[in-house]
Amino acid sequence: MGALRNRFGGSQKELSVARGSGHQARVTDFRLDVLAIGDAIVDVIATADDAFLQEEGLPKGSMRLIDAAEATRLYSHMGQARETSGGSAANTMAGIAALGGRAGFVGQVARDQLGEIFAHDIRALGVEFTTPPCDTDEPTGRCLILVTPDGQRTMNTSPGASHSLSVSALDEQQIRDSAILYLEAYLWVPDSPRAAMERAIEIAHAAGRRVAFTLSDIACIAKRRDSFLDLIQARAIDMLFANEAEVKALAGIDAFDPALAALQDKVPLIVCTCSERGAVAVENGRRVAVPAAPVERVVDTTGAGDLFAAGFLSGQALERPLEECLRRGAIAAAEIISHFGARPEADLKALMA
């Protein structure tokens, strides 16, 4: 922990001094509202029945990592599919852009067809994406998503080139130009992209910017729990996104409220989704909760947490009250689970209005 404290400024007092006047500037003073670093993945989404999952030996609702060969094999067995730029943080940036926000994304693709699809798609959505493709033997990452009639998604992810992201891929001025730096835990697990994210945190905090971190998946906590706790202890995170299971796993406490209480004094703002029960946030000891937004029918839960973060962060960029930020997140999540895929189909700006 000592090395980490030195890396991120040593103490809360030192961090406050390092951030200086950045927290005083309005979000509108920045070129980008939010810049995310995450997996650059092409989502390949297809419908499937329970029998197909059983034949393939896939537990419904699971998320597993696969290599390129298994991705090719499974893809050949899938039905007609839709391909879009994906990845958790990329989904969130697409949501912010759909809400009229100024979003940027940093992620690694290869020089291949899927890499071109990812870059074209995310730019077409209005997200700034300038990370150059890399020369690697690994193909651009893909996530094969099988959606059953009950709306559950079974995810099979081949990270590929996304885990080749390095410090050299960062545009330091782009980080300084962004009010909030948003990081996903999926990319914190491998060494090279974790080093890039650590450097990005240093740059952001030195420039007085806020750093948001999403725990992404309970499997990430199992692999890097101590590292996440070190980040929190070093006051490197200003805003933490999680769901109930992730909060309990990170705190090491089986009950949600005690787990949240154990973490809330260590992070200025914790935001937690609670499925059909809505969401809760604790900011500097003040707790606020909102119910889930109504949805006629749950079709596909892919990207629900990602779009919740988009709605919440867009509210932060507009300097809205905490309760309104939560409601914006709930509305965005409700829209995304009403149809297939993790890209909004309705006018999110109209829904927010």
Side-chain angles (χ1 to χ4, degrees):
M1 185 176 72
L4 192 68
R5 289 175 69 83
N6 288 333
R7 188 175 188 85
F8 295 119
S11 71
Q12 181 62 43
K13 180 179 179 181
E14 290 167 0
L15 276 176
S16 299
V17 172
R19 295 175 194 179
S21 62
H23 278 303
Q24 304 302 316
R26 292 179 58 83
V27 173
T28 51
D29 295 334
F30 300 101
R31 189 172 64 79
L32 294 177
D33 297 325
V34 187
L35 175 68
I37 302 179
D39 276 322
I41 301 286
V42 174
D43 285 341
V44 182
I45 304 174
T47 57
D49 55 23
D50 290 348
F52 180 84
L53 298 183
Q54 292 174 2
E55 290 171 5
E56 293 292 332
L58 303 175
K60 183 161 66 173
S62 64
M63 195 288 285
R64 64 169 183 153
L65 293 177
I66 58 177
D67 58 22
E70 172 61 8
T72 299
R73 186 202 67 79
L74 181 58
Y75 179 69
S76 69
H77 292 179
M78 292 170 59
Q80 186 176 8
R82 181 194 313 179
E83 297 175 342
T84 61
S85 62
S88 174
N91 289 339
T92 299
M93 295 307 99
I96 289 175
L99 285 161
R102 301 162 298 178
F105 179 74
V106 178
Q108 191 64 69
V109 298
R111 297 184 188 277
D112 56 17
Q113 184 179 10
L114 284 182
E116 293 176 359
I117 289 173
F118 181 93
H120 176 273
D121 188 62
I122 197 165
R123 289 169 182 156
L125 293 169
V127 177
E128 181 176 287
F129 177 63
T130 60
T131 310
C134 68
D135 295 311
T136 174
D137 294 334
E138 291 288 336
T140 294
R142 71 188 73 177
C143 183
L144 308 179
I145 303 172
L146 300 163
V147 183
T148 45
D150 59 359
Q152 288 293 310
R153 86 280 197 211
T154 302
M155 305 172 70
N156 306 270
T157 303
S158 176
S162 69
H163 284 185
S164 299
L165 183 73
S166 65
V167 172
S168 63
L170 299 177
D171 179 340
E172 296 192 1
Q173 190 57 48
Q174 185 184 42
I175 297 170
R176 297 185 190 99
D177 287 344
S178 305
I180 300 171
L181 175 68
Y182 180 73
L183 309 173
E184 67 167 69
Y186 286 127
L187 205 59
W188 190 264
V189 175
D191 292 339
S192 180
R194 185 173 67 257
M197 295 167 91
E198 289 175 345
R199 175 58 184 152
I201 292 172
E202 287 181 339
I203 297 166
H205 275 165
R209 312 307 184 233
R210 287 191 293 170
V211 174
F213 194 95
T214 174
L215 291 175
S216 298
D217 190 275
I218 197 167
C220 297
I221 300 173
K223 295 176 180 177
R224 291 289 182 184
R225 180 172 179 266
D226 289 344
S227 180
F228 296 153
L229 291 175
D230 284 346
L231 272 177
I232 291 172
Q233 187 65 35
R235 304 292 183 178
I237 298 173
D238 304 297
M239 203 183 311
L240 181 66
F241 288 85
N243 62 28
E244 289 180 283
E246 292 159 2
V247 165
K248 291 188 287 186
L250 184 63
I253 299 173
D254 290 336
F256 173 66
D257 284 333
L260 185 61
L263 296 172
Q264 67 185 42
D265 292 334
K266 301 175 183 178
V267 182
L269 174 57
I270 297 181
V271 184
C272 183
T273 56
C274 304
S275 192
E276 70 278 0
R277 297 193 307 284
V280 60
V282 181
E283 184 174 33
N284 296 320
R286 184 174 74 92
R287 179 167 173 159
V288 176
V290 300
V295 58
E296 185 174 336
R297 183 169 72 94
V298 176
V299 175
D300 174 15
T301 56
T302 304
D306 303 335
L307 268 293
F308 179 92
F312 187 93
L313 288 168
S314 71
Q316 290 282 295
L318 293 169
E319 300 177 332
R320 299 294 169 79
L322 186 59
E323 183 174 4
E324 182 176 342
C325 292
L326 287 171
R327 292 191 186 283
R328 292 174 68 88
I331 291 169
E335 192 283 334
I336 216 67
I337 65 175
S338 67
H339 57 78
F340 286 112
R343 293 288 183 268
E345 293 185 355
D347 185 341
L348 286 185
K349 288 186 285 186
L351 290 177
M352 297 302 167

